[in-house]
Amino acid sequence: MITLGDLYNVLSALVPLYFVIFLAYAAVRWWKLFTAEQCAGINRFVAMFAVPLLNFEFISRIDLSKMDLPFISADTLSKILVLVALFAWARMSPKGSLEWCITLFSLCTLPNTLLMGIPLLKAMYGDEQESLMTQVVVLQGMIWYTMLIFLYEYRAASNAIAQRFRESSVKSVCSEARNVGKEEAAHVVIACNSEDLGAQMGACSRDEDNKKAEKKLGYGEVGAAKKYVEKSTMPSGTIGFILRMVWYKLMKNPNFYASVGGLCWALASSRWNIKKPMIMENSVTILSNCALGVAMFSLGNFMALQPKFIACGNKMAAYGMFIRFIVGPAIMALASLVVGIGGKELKVSIIQAALPQAVVPFVFAREYDVHPEELSTVVMFGMIVSLPVTILYYVFLEL
Amino acid sequence: MITLGDLYNVLSALVPLYFVIFLAYAAVRWWKLFTAEQCAGINRFVAMFAVPLLNFEFISRIDLSKMDLPFISADTLSKILVLVALFAWARMSPKGSLEWCITLFSLCTLPNTLLMGIPLLKAMYGDEQESLMTQVVVLQGMIWYTMLIFLYEYRAASNAIAQRFRESSVKSVCSEARNVGKEEAAHVVIACNSEDLGAQMGACSRDEDNKKAEKKLGYGEVGAAKKYVEKSTMPSGTIGFILRMVWYKLMKNPNFYASVGGLCWALASSRWNIKKPMIMENSVTILSNCALGVAMFSLGNFMALQPKFIACGNKMAAYGMFIRFIVGPAIMALASLVVGIGGKELKVSIIQAALPQAVVPFVFAREYDVHPEELSTVVMFGMIVSLPVTILYYVFLEL
């Protein structure tokens, strides 16, 4: 049963987040305390230091022998289902892109289990849910955030390589494109993509160019032209080279070390029953304690830098909410039934999937500049609507 | 008595700080993750958000009726003594400057009582010292940090105004300076000061120019010329205008509101026996928890941006240490004797004054760009030497 006290506890966790978002928004929008570059620096601090240390803290504490295998399997299966469906879509549809695969994967499968899941699910189904939720949080940090970073780096590396090939063969592609009657689209795509690396300014102008092209030619045609150009310029056999680049980048990412190191520590500590010395514990928590606050600060900063308050537009925001609160739980329900989960655990798995959007995927999306406006909007407004949505799910599932 | 366990506790608080400094240093120096502007942004986040909220948290918890008046009086008297001496020096000596008044005040009177004082003094003289140390921390946050910001803003405002007057009368000053034979010095001073506002780059080149001039003319002569130019250009009666500018700036500084708000809450809560609701408590701690970690991160960033590892040079570092560990405690001993404190409390007051440098004054010095290299060096190396120094004091006082 949810009591008023439980609701107050959840609000006590939620309201401070909005307080921080408000401070950060005001600091940039009205008080002009931070430049855009400084905001990017604050976000990088979260992505590269606070989040990895927080992940390490959680992963290193898990006892692998006490995992709830059916529940974890359902969670993993649902994420794999979503990934397979998205990659199939990216391959087959002209609208498909790796960027949207990553963003839709985040929206569909990565809820805020740590902050919202633990208090809400405990209130709804009892204290024993905390351990279940912690397991989901650990897997999220260990496997799925690493996977997210892998996909972001894969995208960056393949863009960088495609870019190099494209530059050397722009002319031949143009003449080929003229032959198949897609000259204009190809021109736009090439011009846009040549500004691809490094600067955010470039990204903005590229987006505008793409939008113009989309208006003229229709979204599908631009997609087709893009694919056409990619096929014409990317020689086969580069995938190995791209993967090596990604590996090199992962080797430099603290999130990777946090996952591996956390897992090693968890295994060692349960095997030999050792505890972290206080010096080590404090060295981790001194920065991991900052993760949530500074991540919300970065979210507020980012919103203040956007021209519109709902940065991705109303339509995209609605789609995002639909995916987060309807599609995600539906796929999770399906996966749970496939694995054979029923009763209370089925309910828990569905409600856990219907929590608001996790904050870390926004931090990564901003760091890699892939649809941060979509994720920031869903995090920000998702938290507001999540409380009634989750309670509706609860009541509906109790019927 | 200090046990090995006590030392381990102190090391458990110290080592994580060096871990964060190392990460931040590496992030800028070797991994090139942050630009200089981004580092300044991270520091501003600490100065404008994390530190004020931490101060609010501490100040709002104090019970004014339970303050130890003699101890607090000695602490206050020592700080006033230092301020008076420094201002007298600034007025009378040609080497004196408001900048060095502020920096020397920080070095001499603001120890790291929160982080180092509480565990060390508890270990040395028993648990009842925690309340005494907390009172010092609260006054430091409420009165002395506000005072520090007042002085920094006063300096900024008077520089800005002097700058405006100077620009309009450079020519007449030059001809006057020629008459008194100080032409070259005046030229250098004017040229340097005309780059005074905004950019850090400007500050660097100004420092270099000043150093060149000092080499040519001797430190005293440049100081005299500076004073001469200031007198020639600053009309009397601007002090009221400067104070109004400072007030306006203070009214925009969150540290000011944290002090006033914290005090109001402390008074109200002890008067009507009310406690902070959890939503309010969490809204403060979500960012105040970050203060220490991100402040150390900013320190590491700053050190990595300096050309030398000991940013202010060996000589200045040694002077800084001398002031921190010898002059500061000596003045505190004097003030304690004047107030009439003896016995154990005298020892506590002296050792408390011999703790390493507080971190917040570095954050402010970097924000206002007044000798951050001096403060960063004393914080960084002061923490290393502080442990033997404090124990030496302890043993010496026990004789």
Side-chain angles (χ1 to χ4, degrees):
Chain A
M1 248 306 285
I2 315 179
T3 65
L4 273 183
D6 294 329
L7 275 185
Y8 181 74
N9 280 346
V10 173
L11 280 179
S12 302
L14 263 188
V15 173
L17 304 186
Y18 284 102
F19 174 67
V20 174
I21 293 178
F22 166 78
L23 281 183
Y25 187 89
V28 171
R29 192 70 155 214
W30 303 313
W31 307 331
K32 313 272 178 215
L33 284 174
F34 300 97
T35 64
E37 192 190 335
Q38 290 178 329
C39 296
I42 291 173
N43 189 73
R44 175 161 287 183
F45 166 76
V46 190
M48 291 296 188
F49 295 94
V51 165
L53 285 167
L54 185 67
N55 269 341
F56 175 83
E57 201 187 331
F58 263 88
I59 297 169
S60 64
R61 276 205 231 128
I62 198 79
D63 186 345
L64 288 176
S65 64
K66 286 185 190 148
M67 301 282 266
D68 182 321
L69 276 185
F71 192 86
I72 292 304
S73 311
D75 183 62
T76 309
L77 179 65
S78 78
K79 289 181 169 72
I80 290 174
L81 280 179
V82 171
L83 263 188
V84 169
L86 284 172
F87 279 123
W89 166 74
R91 279 250 141 215
M92 290 189 287
S93 157
K95 289 191 190 181
S97 71
L98 182 57
E99 281 87 347
W100 277 111
C101 278
I102 304 174
T103 304
L104 290 172
F105 175 74
S106 287
L107 286 175
C108 198
T109 68
L110 298 173
N112 194 336
T113 312
L114 175 62
L115 202 75
M116 299 286 292
I118 293 177
L120 267 178
L121 273 294
K122 267 170 77 176
M124 288 168 173
Y125 296 106
D127 284 348
E128 71 275 17
Q129 305 307 327
E130 177 159 358
S131 137
L132 221 53
M133 291 301 111
T134 311
Q135 292 169 34
V136 174
V137 171
V138 166
L139 283 191
Q140 205 156 303
M142 193 165 65
I143 297 177
W144 301 108
Y145 288 165
T146 310
M147 162 96 183
L148 217 52
I149 289 174
F150 172 84
L151 291 176
Y152 280 127
E153 290 292 358
Y154 184 88
R155 170 192 164 268
S158 59
N159 275 2
I161 286 173
Q163 156 84 359
R164 212 173 293 169
F165 284 113
R166 232 170 270 149
E167 266 166 13
S168 65
S169 57
V170 163
K171 278 194 182 170
S172 67
V173 174
C174 277
S175 66
E176 267 192 67
R178 201 188 311 267
N179 293 341
V180 294
K182 294 214 185 294
E183 181 207 25
E184 194 176 3
H187 261 302
V188 171
V189 173
I190 291 163
C192 302
N193 280 317
S194 65
E195 292 174 276
D196 224 24
L197 298 170
Q200 220 177 327
M201 290 296 293
C204 288
S205 84
R206 192 187 67 214
D207 278 357
E208 267 171 34
D209 283 351
N210 270 339
K211 267 178 207 152
K212 266 187 224 159
E214 276 165 26
K215 237 183 194 165
K216 252 190 193 161
L217 301 164
Y219 191 76
E221 262 179 303
V222 172
K226 233 177 193 168
K227 289 223 154 159
Y228 173 77
V229 172
E230 260 157 34
K231 268 187 206 148
S232 333
T233 49
M234 283 276 283
S236 60
T238 47
I239 190 106
F241 185 63
I242 292 178
L243 285 178
R244 254 174 294 150
M245 266 178 86
V246 173
W247 179 249
Y248 175 75
K249 282 296 190 81
L250 270 186
M251 286 280 99
K252 285 172 78 177
N253 195 309
N255 286 285
F256 179 72
Y257 291 100
S259 299
V260 175
L263 184 64
C264 290
W265 185 269
L267 290 171
S269 75
S270 62
R271 176 81 182 73
W272 293 292
N273 198 21
I274 40 174
K275 277 195 175 171
K276 273 185 223 135
M278 217 203 330
I279 288 188
M280 183 178 167
E281 185 78 44
N282 288 350
S283 296
V284 173
T285 53
I286 189 173
L287 286 186
S288 71
N289 277 344
C290 312
L292 181 65
V294 191
M296 298 321 286
F297 200 85
S298 170
L299 182 74
N301 284 341
F302 178 80
M303 289 184 65
L305 289 172
Q306 304 309 306
K308 288 184 294 182
F309 189 65
I310 298 183
C312 62
N314 294 340
K315 207 174 107 188
M316 292 305 278
Y319 280 150
M321 300 288 199
F322 178 74
I323 291 169
R324 174 93 291 274
F325 293 114
I326 309 288
V327 179
I331 295 175
M332 186 66 182
L334 182 72
S336 303
L337 291 173
V338 168
V339 171
I341 287 179
K344 200 200 232 183
E345 219 166 35
L346 176 65
K347 294 176 190 171
V348 171
S349 77
I350 293 173
I351 291 186
Q352 186 266 331
L355 292 169
Q357 179 63 34
V359 183
V360 172
F362 158 74
V363 173
F364 290 158
R366 171 134 167 69
E367 175 68 18
Y368 289 97
D369 195 25
V370 178
H371 308 135
E373 59 293 330
E374 178 75 22
L375 280 162
S376 67
T377 308
V378 176
V379 170
M380 165 82 187
F381 296 98
M383 287 196 302
I384 299 177
V385 302
S386 74
L387 216 52
V389 165
T390 323
I391 293 173
L392 269 183
Y393 265 102
Y394 175 70
V395 172
F396 178 75
L397 288 169
E398 289 298 300
L399 286 181
Chain B
M1 251 305 286
I2 316 177
T3 63
L4 275 182
D6 293 330
L7 277 185
Y8 182 73
N9 280 345
V10 173
L11 280 180
S12 303
L14 264 187
V15 173
L17 304 186
Y18 284 103
F19 174 67
V20 173
I21 292 178
F22 166 78
L23 280 184
Y25 188 89
V28 172
R29 193 70 153 214
W30 302 314
W31 307 330
K32 313 272 179 217
L33 283 173
F34 300 97
T35 65
E37 192 190 334
Q38 289 178 329
C39 295
I42 290 173
N43 190 72
R44 174 161 287 181
F45 166 76
V46 189
M48 291 297 189
F49 295 93
V51 166
L53 286 167
L54 185 68
N55 270 339
F56 176 84
E57 200 188 329
F58 263 88
I59 298 168
S60 63
R61 277 203 230 131
I62 198 79
D63 186 344
L64 287 176
S65 65
K66 286 186 189 147
M67 300 283 264
D68 182 320
L69 275 186
F71 191 87
I72 291 304
S73 312
D75 183 63
T76 309
L77 180 63
S78 77
K79 288 181 169 70
I80 291 173
L81 280 179
V82 171
L83 263 189
V84 170
L86 284 172
F87 279 122
W89 166 75
R91 278 252 141 216
M92 290 188 287
S93 158
K95 288 191 192 181
S97 71
L98 182 56
E99 281 88 347
W100 277 110
C101 278
I102 304 174
T103 304
L104 291 172
F105 175 75
S106 286
L107 286 176
C108 199
T109 68
L110 297 174
N112 194 335
T113 312
L114 174 60
L115 200 73
M116 299 285 292
I118 294 178
L120 267 178
L121 273 293
K122 268 170 74 176
M124 288 168 172
Y125 297 106
D127 284 348
E128 70 274 19
Q129 306 306 328
E130 176 157 359
S131 138
L132 220 53
M133 292 301 110
T134 310
Q135 293 170 33
V136 174
V137 171
V138 166
L139 282 191
Q140 206 156 303
M142 193 164 67
I143 297 178
W144 302 109
Y145 289 164
T146 311
M147 163 94 181
L148 217 52
I149 288 174
F150 173 85
L151 290 176
Y152 280 126
E153 290 291 358
Y154 183 89
R155 169 192 164 269
S158 60
N159 275 3
I161 287 173
Q163 157 83 357
R164 212 172 291 171
F165 283 114
R166 232 171 271 150
E167 266 168 10
S168 65
S169 58
V170 163
K171 279 195 183 168
S172 67
V173 173
C174 277
S175 65
E176 268 191 68
R178 202 186 312 265
N179 294 340
V180 294
K182 294 212 185 295
E183 182 208 22
E184 195 176 1
H187 260 301
V188 171
V189 174
I190 291 163
C192 303
N193 280 317
S194 64
E195 292 175 273
D196 225 26
L197 300 170
Q200 220 178 325
M201 290 296 293
C204 288
S205 84
R206 192 187 69 214
D207 278 356
E208 268 171 33
D209 283 350
N210 270 339
K211 266 176 208 155
K212 267 187 227 160
E214 277 164 24
K215 239 185 193 167
K216 252 191 194 160
L217 300 163
Y219 192 78
E221 263 180 299
V222 172
K226 234 175 191 169
K227 290 224 152 155
Y228 172 78
V229 173
E230 260 157 35
K231 267 186 207 149
S232 333
T233 48
M234 281 280 282
S236 59
T238 46
I239 190 105
F241 185 64
I242 291 178
L243 285 178
R244 253 174 295 150
M245 266 179 85
V246 173
W247 178 249
Y248 174 75
K249 281 300 190 80
L250 270 186
M251 288 278 98
K252 284 171 79 175
N253 195 309
N255 286 283
F256 179 74
Y257 290 98
S259 299
V260 175
L263 185 65
C264 291
W265 185 269
L267 290 170
S269 75
S270 61
R271 175 82 182 72
W272 291 293
N273 198 22
I274 38 173
K275 278 196 175 170
K276 274 185 223 131
M278 215 201 335
I279 287 187
M280 183 177 167
E281 184 79 43
N282 288 350
S283 297
V284 174
T285 52
I286 188 173
L287 285 187
S288 72
N289 278 344
C290 313
L292 181 65
V294 191
M296 298 321 287
F297 200 85
S298 170
L299 182 74
N301 285 342
F302 178 79
M303 289 184 63
L305 289 172
Q306 304 308 306
K308 286 183 296 183
F309 189 66
I310 298 183
C312 62
N314 294 340
K315 207 174 108 186
M316 293 305 279
Y319 280 151
M321 299 288 197
F322 178 74
I323 292 170
R324 173 91 294 271
F325 292 114
I326 310 287
V327 180
I331 295 175
M332 187 67 183
L334 182 74
S336 302
L337 291 172
V338 168
V339 171
I341 287 179
K344 199 200 233 182
E345 220 167 34
L346 177 65
K347 294 175 190 172
V348 171
S349 77
I350 294 173
I351 291 187
Q352 186 265 331
L355 293 169
Q357 179 62 35
V359 184
V360 171
F362 158 74
V363 173
F364 290 158
R366 170 132 166 71
E367 174 69 18
Y368 288 98
D369 195 25
V370 178
H371 308 137
E373 60 292 332
E374 178 75 21
L375 281 162
S376 66
T377 308
V378 177
V379 170
M380 166 81 188
F381 296 99
M383 286 195 303
I384 298 178
V385 303
S386 74
L387 215 52
V389 165
T390 323
I391 293 172
L392 269 182
Y393 265 102
Y394 175 71
V395 173
F396 179 75
L397 288 169
E398 288 299 299
L399 288 181

